[in-house]
């Protein structure tokens, strides 16, 4: 018998399996599970966008595209960012179309990090960030975001995390899993620090379109640090296109060229059919986004009020489609809470600590579900809380 | 300020949503929702709370027809009085004034084709202002008011838990 583990790369071996995976396995073995556990829209991709993909196949557009992505798509991406977020990029040199935001995160890390470079990450944060840093041999430095600050990044916390080895920071607002956002006012406080220390900012803005109550703000909105910013965005959340696997990076030409080096050898080019569908999404999809945003807004209110009425303290998130209720009052850990809830009432949520230790005491609940579905889940959670 | 447009969209999508649920979704108190709804009813913005029934799946005799109706407008009254003389018949379910070749489209519900034919021949066509009709029977309802009536053959599996 060969011991195959001896062939494995040590860095890969050292990465723990995702805490979400375990819940997925538990939940998939059960019947009648009502899930609040997904990190993707419940809407189907709007029909006109699907149709554009289908048409591209009918027209035989099935070959590779340029490594950086179709120029017509890159142009649309730049027009979109100018129109929606008032930030200008050059479609020739400052855009790279990727296979989802996930590839973008990976190649950004790999093209920038040297062994031992420190990368500041937020916790709770999306599950892929820390492994991506580790795979690139970087050293994650964690800032714990606090409920009392509505999970925003404060200048004090940032200043404290920076050392001479800091090269990068990665932020994700609106945030998965907390739903927290950073406004222009919030960024104004940290921009001078970023400028002073000349650190690069990877801003994962995949939930930019799902911002409620106030306009979306990006660190790249500040001209003094725009060139230090690497914007990651994509079509998954805004246009309900998760399965199309399409994202992009906006950054300084030198950085794009470096990332494109990895991209061209590892990926070649993002799926052509998805790129044609994405052009349609950017040209004619804003109304769809508006309809989905409105729908999420009603669900958000519904679920936040629901959790607070159940006695689980939940702040009103201003973005994404997650709420992050605090479950400390039950005396259970996040994992115990989620496991028991799944076993007793067949409701699937994700324990907060799957997103880093700072998530302990919380659960991540997605509201990418119909109000009827959320209502049923809340009733079951209520029944569960009576037994706690 | 109550987001009335969102309130209307929510009940347009599901008229059975309770006051409590609406209050929760709009972040408002129940009293506010009730008052706003009754005002919208008074203002005839909300004109009813209907169900979408696919009669084809019941054992009831049910036929639907769309009838294009050509009319000559009346001096002073235009189309409105003629329209009233048509839509007052209980058989008329829906009626619109159109631009284009014909003036009205009338949606009729009846038990049998004969019943609808009788109504068109002996009632509708006899109204003096009506100069012509063209009747199309509905063979199958695919989508009504945003709801797809087809059997949902969706075997697509959405993952239960994803990052």
């Amino acid at each position: 018998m060969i011991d195959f583990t001896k062939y494995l790369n040590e860095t890969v071996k050292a990465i723990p399996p995702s805490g979400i995976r375990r819940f997925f396995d538990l939940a998939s073995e059960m019947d009648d599970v009502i899930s609040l556990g997904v990190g993707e829209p419940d809407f189907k991709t709007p029909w006109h966008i699907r149709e554009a993909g289908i048409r591209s196949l009918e027209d035989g557009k099935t070959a590779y595209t340029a490594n950086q992505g179709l120029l017509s798509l890159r142009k649309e991406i730049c027009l979109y960012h100018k129109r929606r977020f008032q930030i200008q990029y050059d479609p020739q040199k400052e855009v790279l179309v990727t296979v989802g935001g996930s590839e973008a995160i990976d190649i950004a890390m790999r093209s920038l990090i040297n062994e031992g470079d420190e990368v500041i990450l937020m916790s709770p944060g999306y599950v892929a960030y820390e492994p991506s840093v580790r795979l690139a041999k970087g050293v994650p430095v964690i800032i714990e975001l606090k409920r009392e600050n509505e999970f925003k990044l404060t200048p004090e916390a940032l200043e404290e995390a920076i050392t001479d080895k800091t090269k990068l920071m990665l932020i994700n607002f609106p945030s998965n899993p907390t739903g927290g956002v950073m406004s222009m006012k919030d960024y104004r406080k940290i921009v001078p620090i970023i400028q002073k220390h000349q650190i690069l900012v990877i801003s994962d803005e995949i939930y930019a379109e799902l911002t409620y109550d106030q306009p979306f703000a990006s660190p790249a909105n500040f001209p003094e640090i725009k060139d230090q910013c690497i914007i990651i965005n994509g079509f998954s959340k805004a246009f309900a296109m998760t399965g199309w696997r399409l994202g992009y990076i906006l950054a300084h030409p030198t950085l794009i060229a470096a990332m494109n080096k990895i991209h061209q050898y590892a990926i070649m080019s993002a799926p052509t059919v998805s790129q044609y569908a994405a052009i349609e999404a950017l040209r004619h999809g804003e109304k769809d986004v508006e309809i989905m945003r409105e729908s999420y807004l009603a669900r958000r209110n519904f679920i936040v009020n629901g959790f607070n009425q159940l006695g689980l303290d939940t702040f009103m998130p201003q973005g994404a489609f997650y709420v992050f209720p605090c479950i400390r009052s039950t005396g259970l850990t996040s994992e115990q809470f989620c496991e028991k809830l799944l076993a007793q009432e067949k409701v699937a949520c994700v324990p907060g600590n799957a997103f880093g230790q700072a998530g302990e005491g919380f659960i991540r609940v997605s509201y990418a579900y119909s109000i009827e579905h959320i209502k049923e889940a809340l009733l079951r959670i209520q029944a569960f809380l009576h037994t706690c | 300020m109550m987001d009335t447009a969102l309130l209307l969209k929510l009940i347009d999508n599901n008229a059975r949503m309770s006051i409590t649920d609406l209050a929760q979704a709009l972040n408002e108190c129940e009293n506010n929702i009730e008052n706003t709804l009754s005002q919208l009813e008074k203002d005839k913005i909300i004109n009813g709370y209907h169900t979408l029934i696919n009669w084809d799946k019941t054992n009831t005799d049910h036929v639907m027809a769309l009838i294009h109706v050509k009319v000559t407008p009346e001096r002073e009254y235009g189309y409105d009085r003629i329209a009233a003389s048509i839509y007052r018949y209980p058989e008329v379910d829906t009626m619109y004034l159109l631009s284009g070749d014909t003036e009205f489209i009338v949606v009729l519900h009846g038990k049998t084709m004969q019943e609808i034919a009788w109504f068109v021949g002996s009632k509708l066509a006899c109204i003096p202002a009506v100069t012509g009709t063209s009747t199309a029977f509905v063979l199958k309802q695919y989508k009504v008011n945003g709801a797809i009536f087809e059997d949902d053959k969706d075997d697509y599996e959405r993952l239960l838990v994803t990052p």
Side-chain angles (χ1 to χ4, degrees):
Chain A
M1 276 289 279
I2 301 176
D3 172 19
F4 284 97
T5 56
K6 74 179 181 195
Y7 294 96
L8 299 179
N9 170 287
E10 292 302 327
T11 313
V12 173
K13 257 204 272 188
I15 291 174
S18 161
I20 286 186
R21 182 78 226 169
R22 209 166 65 80
F23 265 87
F24 174 76
D25 291 341
L26 280 175
S28 356
E29 282 166 14
M30 302 169 78
D31 291 328
D32 307 320
V33 170
I34 184 153
S35 178
L36 297 177
V38 303
E40 64 177 336
D42 61 325
F43 299 103
K44 289 191 173 122
T45 307
W47 174 243
H48 66 105
I49 299 174
R50 283 187 268 162
E51 207 181 24
I54 295 165
R55 198 166 51 242
S56 79
L57 295 176
E58 284 175 348
D59 291 347
K61 293 173 179 166
T62 56
Y64 296 126
T65 69
N67 295 133
Q68 270 183 261
L70 291 165
L71 182 60
S72 46
L73 173 58
R74 283 181 275 144
K75 282 183 179 165
E76 286 300 332
I77 290 170
C78 292
L79 286 171
Y80 166 78
H81 271 262
K82 191 167 170 237
R83 182 170 76 234
R84 290 286 295 135
F85 310 122
Q86 298 77 49
I87 312 174
Q88 234 166 326
Y89 285 97
D90 173 4
Q92 297 281 2
K93 292 178 180 161
E94 296 181 318
V95 189
L96 175 60
V97 178
T98 58
V99 178
S102 303
E103 187 215 336
I105 294 161
D106 177 43
I107 62 175
M109 297 297 180
R110 283 202 278 158
S111 58
L112 298 171
I113 296 174
N114 285 317
E115 190 164 353
D117 284 344
E118 288 184 357
V119 180
I120 297 173
L121 301 176
M122 310 299 130
S123 175
Y126 180 58
V127 295
Y129 299 146
E130 193 174 330
S132 306
V133 172
R134 291 196 187 281
L135 285 168
K137 305 245 192 260
V139 179
V141 173
I142 307 292
I143 292 180
E144 295 203 350
L145 303 179
K146 302 269 195 291
R147 159 72 176 89
E148 57 264 34
N149 299 327
E150 298 186 334
F151 299 105
K152 290 174 192 287
L153 172 60
T154 62
E156 298 77 26
L158 178 59
E159 194 74 77
E160 205 179 305
I162 294 174
T163 72
D164 338 333
K165 290 184 184 160
T166 307
K167 179 179 268 182
L168 271 174
M169 58 186 280
L170 192 159
I171 52 175
N172 164 230
F173 296 105
S175 155
N176 176 7
T178 67
V181 301
M182 291 279 281
S183 63
M184 284 299 274
K185 204 174 137 201
D186 299 321
Y187 276 123
R188 206 161 281 133
K189 295 181 202 154
I190 63 164
V191 163
I193 305 171
I194 294 164
Q195 193 182 12
K196 183 174 84 185
H197 294 279
Q198 295 199 350
I199 48 181
L200 295 182
V201 183
I202 299 180
S203 180
D204 181 350
E205 302 180 355
I206 196 78
Y207 295 99
E209 282 287 6
L210 303 180
T211 305
Y212 318 105
D213 314 323
Q214 57 182 316
F216 170 74
S218 165
N221 283 123
F222 293 83
E224 60 269 41
I225 60 159
K226 186 199 163 207
D227 282 350
Q228 285 167 253
C229 294
I230 297 158
I231 304 299
I232 293 177
N233 205 329
F235 299 86
S236 294
K237 317 294 173 169
F239 299 98
M241 292 177 72
T242 48
W244 299 77
R245 309 307 307 124
L246 205 69
Y248 55 88
I249 309 175
L250 303 170
H252 187 275
T254 309
L255 304 180
I256 288 290
M259 292 187 269
N260 194 27
K261 267 196 214 170
I262 307 179
H263 174 78
Q264 69 183 338
Y265 296 125
I267 300 292
M268 190 82 91
S269 59
T272 305
V273 56
S274 305
Q275 293 193 51
Y276 280 104
I279 292 173
E280 170 69 19
L282 292 176
R283 282 187 187 154
H284 305 294
E286 266 170 53
K287 210 183 105 213
D288 307 300
V289 176
E290 181 61 39
I291 291 169
M292 290 190 266
R293 180 171 39 240
E294 202 165 53
S295 176
Y296 288 129
L297 176 77
R299 297 161 176 198
R300 175 200 67 163
N301 294 342
F302 189 84
I303 203 164
V304 169
N305 287 320
F307 271 109
N308 282 318
Q309 280 156 18
L310 294 181
L312 297 181
D313 170 57
T314 306
F315 102 103
M316 184 69 84
Q318 245 113 54
F321 40 60
Y322 309 104
V323 290
F324 210 55
C326 178
I327 49 89
R328 289 196 186 114
S329 58
T330 61
L332 300 170
T333 66
S334 298
E335 292 214 3
Q336 286 168 341
F337 185 96
C338 289
E339 270 174 36
K340 285 190 171 184
L341 177 61
L342 184 59
Q344 284 176 230
E345 294 293 335
K346 297 187 175 179
V347 178
C349 300
V350 182
N353 66 329
F355 302 91
Q357 265 317 302
E360 181 51 54
F362 296 87
I363 56 170
R364 189 198 71 173
V365 176
S366 162
Y367 53 87
Y369 297 96
S370 69
I371 284 184
E372 292 72 29
H373 182 107
I374 294 169
K375 195 175 170 185
E376 166 66 21
L378 285 170
L379 282 171
R380 293 195 194 186
I381 294 170
Q382 183 176 29
F384 169 70
L385 288 172
H386 284 312
T387 69
C388 282
Chain B
M1 264 299 281
M2 163 94 70
D3 188 344
T4 312
L6 186 54
L7 170 65
L8 288 171
K9 280 178 196 167
L10 286 170
I11 51 171
D12 190 30
N13 190 41
N14 177 9
R16 292 188 66 192
M17 221 171 140
S18 69
I19 302 285
T20 314
D21 291 352
L22 287 169
Q24 201 137 311
L26 291 157
N27 221 8
E28 296 279 348
C29 68
E30 294 185 16
N31 261 348
N32 260 0
I33 300 285
E34 271 182 44
N35 293 340
T36 310
L37 283 176
S38 43
Q39 191 57 47
L40 289 165
E41 287 164 16
K42 263 186 222 147
D43 296 344
K44 286 277 179 191
I45 292 172
I46 295 174
N47 294 282
Y49 300 85
H50 285 215
T51 48
L52 293 173
I53 297 170
N54 186 354
W55 289 105
D56 297 349
K57 289 195 169 181
T58 64
N59 280 329
T60 331
D61 287 329
H62 188 263
V63 180
M64 192 177 13
L66 307 182
I67 300 158
H68 286 276
V69 183
K70 275 179 180 267
V71 299
T72 315
E74 291 177 314
R75 189 185 295 245
E76 284 181 45
Y77 297 103
Y79 293 110
D80 294 349
R81 266 193 359 167
I82 309 166
S85 67
I86 297 173
Y87 66 61
R88 284 194 180 121
Y89 285 106
E91 292 89 338
V92 173
D93 178 81
T94 303
M95 179 173 182
Y96 302 110
L97 175 65
L98 308 175
S99 64
D101 287 346
T102 56
E103 280 72 28
F104 298 128
I105 191 153
V106 174
V107 181
L108 284 186
H109 286 259
K111 281 193 177 135
T112 58
M113 285 168 84
Q114 286 77 7
E115 194 179 291
I116 286 180
W118 175 82
F119 175 81
V120 174
S122 64
K123 304 284 180 199
L124 194 55
C126 301
I127 295 171
V130 171
T131 59
T133 65
S134 156
T135 303
F137 285 99
V138 172
L139 302 181
K140 186 172 181 180
Q141 298 187 83
Y142 291 104
K143 189 175 181 183
V144 179
N145 287 359
I148 294 171
F149 275 12
E150 283 285 83
D151 275 334
D152 194 4
K153 293 188 192 79
D154 198 351
D155 57 355
Y156 185 65
E157 285 178 33
R158 193 180 177 205
L159 295 177
L160 285 170
V161 181
T162 62

